[in-house]
Amino acid sequence: MCELYVKADPILFESRSRSLRIRGVVTTLRLENQFWDILREIAEVDGMTTNQLITKLHEEVMELRGEVENFASFLRVSCTRYLAQREARSVPLITAHSSGKAQSRVASVP
């Protein structure tokens, strides 16, 4: 069972930082590459850039809760919730092709 996890490409769990502007303040977020990929997919499905999605999520969580102690953890949990919903509803996946254009396909649910 653990083989599925331990044989993952190490690039997936390497961290990468990105700077973006949230509420007029430049913020740096550090997430593992796997989560950046999922956030990109969510953004593409919603017709946004990754930075636009992150800004929107920050605005919405601040409006609902008034604060968020660990925004990076919030984003990781949001990614896992998205994956669970995608599997449950067969949300279209975005796949990159050699042409550089994104193309949708439907995920199959076992």
Side-chain angles (χ1 to χ4, degrees):
M1 175 185 136
C2 292
E3 192 172 297
L4 169 69
Y5 306 109
V6 299
K7 287 190 175 182
D9 185 348
I11 195 79
L12 296 175
F13 52 85
E14 283 183 12
S15 294
R16 186 171 73 230
S17 295
R18 283 194 185 179
S19 294
L20 61 144
R21 187 175 301 275
I22 298 177
R23 292 185 170 186
V25 177
V26 176
T27 304
T28 300
L29 287 171
R30 186 169 188 81
L31 296 170
E32 295 75 17
N33 288 323
Q34 177 94 45
F35 291 110
W36 286 118
D37 291 345
I38 296 166
L39 288 169
R40 179 188 44 77
E41 180 179 323
I42 297 168
E44 287 178 2
V45 167
D46 289 344
M48 299 182 214
T49 66
T50 303
N51 285 2
Q52 289 171 330
L53 172 70
I54 291 169
T55 300
K56 182 172 178 65
L57 288 171
H58 187 271
E59 289 170 358
E60 290 181 3
V61 76
M62 291 298 287
E63 183 178 313
L64 181 67
R65 305 219 183 270
E67 69 174 331
V68 59
E69 289 185 29
N70 189 333
F71 189 59
S73 290
F74 168 81
L75 291 174
R76 288 183 188 94
V77 170
S78 296
C79 288
T80 60
R81 292 185 65 165
Y82 167 77
L83 292 176
Q85 288 177 348
R86 183 183 74 187
E87 179 153 339
R89 295 184 305 170
S90 296
V91 172
L93 297 173
I94 303 298
T95 56
H97 291 279
S98 59
S99 66
K101 294 184 179 179
Q103 180 176 356
S104 296
R105 66 179 174 83
V106 176
S108 58
V109 177

